[in-house]
Structures are given as C-alpha cells and as structure tokens.
Amino acid sequence: MIESADLVMAALAAGAAAGVSETATTAVKDSYSGLKSLAGKVLRRHQPDSDQATVEGQLADPETHRHELLAALTEAGVATHPELLNAARQVLGLVDPTGTAMGKYDVTVTNCTGVQVGGHNNMTIHVPK
C-alpha cells in the first residue's frame, strides 16, 4: 500500500490542482476542503506550538511545501488516523477515478532500497565501489 503520508500528500496535491479549475465539481471541492481540515487538525494536534497560519499556508499549496508537509505528516503518524486516510482516498477517487480503479494508489514495496513510486521522478544512486 502506498505509504500513508504519501497518500495524503497525493490527495492534497490532486485536490489543490483540481480545486482551482473551473470544472471541479462541488463534491471535489467539498472533499478537498474536508481533507485539508482533517490534515490541519492532525498536524496541529501533533505540533501544538505550530503557527496555525503556517500550517494553513502549507496545506493551501502542498506542492510548494511538499517536503515540510510530508515530514510533518509522517512524524504525526497519519497511519493512525483512518478518517484522514479515508478522506484522502475519497479525494483521489473523485479527482482520478480511473487511476484509483486501476490501483494507481495501491502500491506495496517491501525489503527494497532505492525505490521510487509515481510519475516524473528523478533519482541518483551512488553505489560504493
């Protein structure tokens, strides 16, 4: 299964991209809004000293703040928040129904090193001699 934090990040990015289009349905916009709200609650609960405006800003532009959000979501243990994961799956199902039906977001990788999942990735691996 795709890592929980990566699943939430994929849904945040997809929702943000779809939400700004004029063709986005009310269901997409509502699901994305709910996802951002749940993600914000999880992050603020885990980091009570964090600035609410900063968290909201990061969630509003997940691609720009990808590294910070991914680290914060991982640290917050999003795998223990099924409501957040379900909200992420719902957004992805609405934004990319074909990819969701084909299992695009269901990836299992075990006992591997140097693996990337997804499109448009770049990786440099330095192997010791």
Side-chain angles (χ1 to χ4, degrees):
M1 184 60 115
I2 193 168
E3 190 66 36
S4 301
D6 290 317
L7 176 72
V8 173
M9 283 302 303
L12 286 168
V20 297
S21 75
E22 292 182 22
T23 60
T25 65
T26 302
V28 170
K29 291 178 182 179
D30 290 348
S31 293
Y32 174 59
S33 177
L35 173 63
K36 283 196 319 183
S37 176
L38 284 170
K41 287 178 186 174
V42 167
L43 292 174
R44 283 188 296 277
R45 199 174 319 143
H46 184 72
Q47 299 172 336
D49 295 333
S50 64
D51 178 32
Q52 182 170 347
T54 300
V55 172
E56 296 300 324
Q58 290 175 340
L59 291 171
D61 190 1
E63 283 300 315
T64 299
H65 302 284
R66 177 169 180 69
H67 297 293
E68 300 94 347
L69 275 175
L70 189 56
L73 289 166
T74 301
E75 189 176 312
V78 294
T80 63
H81 299 279
E83 68 282 355
L84 179 58
L85 298 176
N86 289 335
R89 288 185 190 101
Q90 181 178 9
V91 168
L92 290 171
L94 290 168
V95 172
D96 185 11
T98 303
T100 302
M102 293 175 55
K104 179 178 180 178
Y105 305 104
D106 295 325
V107 179
T108 302
V109 179
T110 58
N111 300 319
C112 296
T113 302
V115 175
Q116 287 191 353
V117 177
H120 312 290
N121 293 326
N122 292 310
M123 180 186 330
T124 302
I125 299 176
H126 299 280
V127 180
K129 295 180 181 182

